[in-house]
Amino acid sequence: MTLLLLGAVLLVAQPQLVPSHPAVPGPGARQQELLRKMGTLQEDTREGAAANGSTKQLPQTIIIGVRKGGTRALLEMLSLHPDVAAAENEVHFFDWEEHYSQGLGWYLTQMPFSSPNQLTVEKTPAYFTSPKVPERIHSMNPAIRLLLILRDPSERVLSDYTQVLYNHLQKRKPYPPIEDLLVRDGRLNMDYKALNRSLYHAHMLNWLRFFPLGHIHIVDGDRLIRDPFPEIQKVERFLKLSPQINASNFYFNKTKGFYCLRDSGKDRCLHESKGRAHPQVDPKLLDKLHEYFHEPNKKFFELVGRTFDWH
């Protein structure tokens, strides 16, 4: 009994071991959540493996915009490459809270199956003009490569209006003429969202807070419409893809008035909703648009170190 009491006293009296370096604090809540998500992703990938060994991967490339800039055409053309696996629908993960709150595991389920040598691509045009998105994408993958396709800002505004107009017409809902939206009290209506989406300089500044310019390739949307092959070649080089797409993959459809695709002997064109004619606009109003975008365009050219053939 005496020996047992002596042993207990010695055990209590032992000094606590002190590390030679300050203890490193454990991961905070955000890091713990990220580790949990990554574990879930790995499990989801294993469970979602296809019979041929392909799996779902988070995108290594995202087409971030711009709305009505030609993102669907760019994705369809890029999909001609055998080493590209493209998500079919716009995912809206980083800009819609109800999606983002479900975590990267949910995002992964929206991706296509791909082989290890393929590049997974998704496109959501609203990303470019959504303030929270650059930081969120950077948190997922700071080395990701981004594609941004832009058109003449004035033309983009007209395309934006045209899409919303047709959406209303299909639902048999009224929609005001473009002049009523663009002009208020004799001046351009700065509250019209379509105008804001065309202020590329302001949005690009936000992206460059998180990504170097070298990680963002700007596709000239106007040139892509007129002559797609040279623009797609540049995209291949930016993504470090082997040159697989060639001029024979494109042919001009005189009926539709734009280029269509030819893949393995099969022809396909973009949906009939693409390439719609813009409404007739008073030339004086067009001049106002061009004047409004002149200075922001100039700042954008200086920011990215190149110019575009815009009004």
Side-chain angles (χ1 to χ4, degrees), residues 5-140:
L5 289 171
L6 180 60
V9 170
L10 289 173
L11 183 62
V12 171
Q14 268 191 330
Q16 295 295 313
L17 294 177
V18 179
S20 58
H21 298 285
V24 178
R30 182 178 178 186
Q31 288 87 348
Q32 287 178 341
E33 179 66 10
L34 182 58
L35 289 172
R36 184 188 66 77
K37 288 177 180 177
M38 293 311 297
T40 303
L41 288 181
Q42 292 171 354
E43 192 62 34
D44 288 347
T45 301
R46 285 194 292 271
E47 292 179 358
N52 62 1
S54 64
T55 59
K56 293 190 174 188
Q57 305 177 68
L58 290 174
Q60 297 94 350
T61 297
I62 299 178
I63 300 174
I64 58 174
V66 64
R67 168 173 160 147
K68 305 313 297 176
T71 56
R72 173 53 61 179
L74 176 59
L75 186 68
E76 292 290 333
M77 293 175 185
L78 193 54
S79 297
L80 292 168
H81 200 289
D83 292 340
V84 169
E88 186 174 343
N89 300 313
E90 294 176 6
V91 182
H92 286 281
F93 175 65
F94 296 101
D95 63 325
W96 287 3
E97 296 302 326
E98 61 266 35
H99 289 172
Y100 191 70
S101 62
Q102 297 185 63
L104 291 174
W106 180 89
Y107 188 40
L108 184 68
T109 65
Q110 309 304 305
M111 295 301 115
F113 282 98
S114 60
S115 59
N117 66 310
Q118 282 186 307
L119 197 69
T120 299
V121 181
E122 82 112 326
K123 75 114 179 159
T124 301
Y127 286 165
F128 181 59
T129 57
S130 301
K132 294 181 180 179
V133 170
E135 183 176 12
R136 289 176 171 182
I137 293 180
H138 185 271
S139 294
M140 179 189 73

Side-chain angles (χ1 to χ4, degrees), residues 69-268:
T71 56
R72 173 53 61 179
L74 176 59
L75 186 68
E76 292 290 333
M77 293 175 185
L78 193 54
S79 297
L80 292 168
H81 200 289
D83 292 340
V84 169
E88 186 174 343
N89 300 313
E90 294 176 6
V91 182
H92 286 281
F93 175 65
F94 296 101
D95 63 325
W96 287 3
E97 296 302 326
E98 61 266 35
H99 289 172
Y100 191 70
S101 62
Q102 297 185 63
L104 291 174
W106 180 89
Y107 188 40
L108 184 68
T109 65
Q110 309 304 305
M111 295 301 115
F113 282 98
S114 60
S115 59
N117 66 310
Q118 282 186 307
L119 197 69
T120 299
V121 181
E122 82 112 326
K123 75 114 179 159
T124 301
Y127 286 165
F128 181 59
T129 57
S130 301
K132 294 181 180 179
V133 170
E135 183 176 12
R136 289 176 171 182
I137 293 180
H138 185 271
S139 294
M140 179 189 73
N141 182 4
I144 198 167
R145 290 183 173 267
L146 305 170
L147 294 172
L148 172 63
I149 180 168
L150 300 176
R151 295 174 59 195
D152 181 310
S154 300
E155 290 296 314
R156 200 219 61 80
V157 169
L158 299 182
S159 291
D160 201 318
Y161 169 84
T162 303
Q163 175 175 300
V164 179
L165 171 66
Y166 274 85
N167 289 344
H168 277 70
L169 292 177
Q170 288 174 351
K171 298 174 183 176
R172 299 188 178 185
K173 293 182 178 180
Y175 198 65
I178 189 169
E179 289 82 2
D180 291 358
L181 295 172
L182 270 176
V183 180
R184 179 180 293 173
D185 299 326
R187 305 177 66 179
L188 286 180
N189 177 16
M190 300 301 141
D191 293 329
Y192 184 36
K193 290 182 179 179
L195 280 178
N196 177 271
R197 294 187 189 108
S198 284
L199 293 173
Y200 304 148
H201 172 258
H203 300 300
M204 193 66 170
L205 281 173
N206 191 33
W207 284 89
L208 293 178
R209 290 174 55 214
F210 299 94
F211 294 97
L213 186 58
H215 282 208
I216 307 174
H217 176 70
I218 303 172
V219 179
D220 189 326
D222 298 305
R223 289 187 178 180
L224 189 76
I225 295 171
R226 296 194 302 266
D227 189 12
F229 181 49
E231 285 299 310
I232 288 298
Q233 283 183 303
K234 295 174 187 175
V235 173
E236 280 183 317
R237 289 194 292 269
F238 172 73
L239 297 179
K240 303 187 186 309
L241 293 168
S242 59
Q244 298 283 339
I245 304 173
N246 54 65
S248 63
N249 288 123
F250 306 94
Y251 72 95
F252 189 78
N253 186 309
K254 293 182 179 179
T255 303
K256 293 183 174 293
F258 53 78
Y259 277 88
C260 295
L261 309 180
R262 181 169 288 134
D263 186 15
S264 302
K266 297 179 181 180
D267 297 350
R268 71 175 192 267

Side-chain angles (χ1 to χ4, degrees), residues 268-282:
R268 71 175 192 267
C269 290
L270 295 178
H271 190 268
E272 61 183 11
S273 64
K274 307 300 179 182
R276 287 170 172 154
H278 293 168
Q280 293 292 324
V281 181
D282 187 326

